[in-house]
Amino acid sequence: MTTAGVATVKEGDLYAGWVNQLGGAADVELSGNRLGVLRTDGSLAVKEGDLYATWTEQANGVSQFDLTHRF
């Protein structure tokens, strides 16, 4: 996450470039191929797949979240 509140991630090795994902980010979590961003307005968006997968809005009024895969 940047100091400007933009969630950024990279795919591949450590030398891959950073890819901006969502602005207004307060917290970011990655679990496997699932990425979640909690925004400063309390909304939570999650996507699964590659960096360019579609975001799915999950909930509003969120203060914390956990994307850990549980089997």
Side-chain angles (χ1 to χ4, degrees), residues 27-30 34-38 44-47 55 65 67:
D27 193 13
V28 177
E29 187 168 323
L30 179 65
R34 189 174 292 165
L35 175 64
V37 175
L38 175 61
L44 175 64
V46 177
K47 68 178 177 177
W55 288 97
F65 70 107
L67 289 183

Side-chain angles (χ1 to χ4, degrees), residues 3-53:
T3 57
V6 178
T8 60
V9 294
K10 58 170 68 182
E11 187 170 51
D13 64 27
L14 293 177
Y15 301 102
W18 290 97
V19 179
N20 290 348
Q21 294 294 305
L22 285 179
D27 193 13
V28 177
E29 187 168 323
L30 179 65
S31 180
N33 68 343
R34 189 174 292 165
L35 175 64
V37 175
L38 175 61
R39 296 186 194 100
T40 55
D41 68 0
S43 62
L44 175 64
V46 177
K47 68 178 177 177
E48 191 168 46
D50 67 18
L51 293 180
Y52 303 99

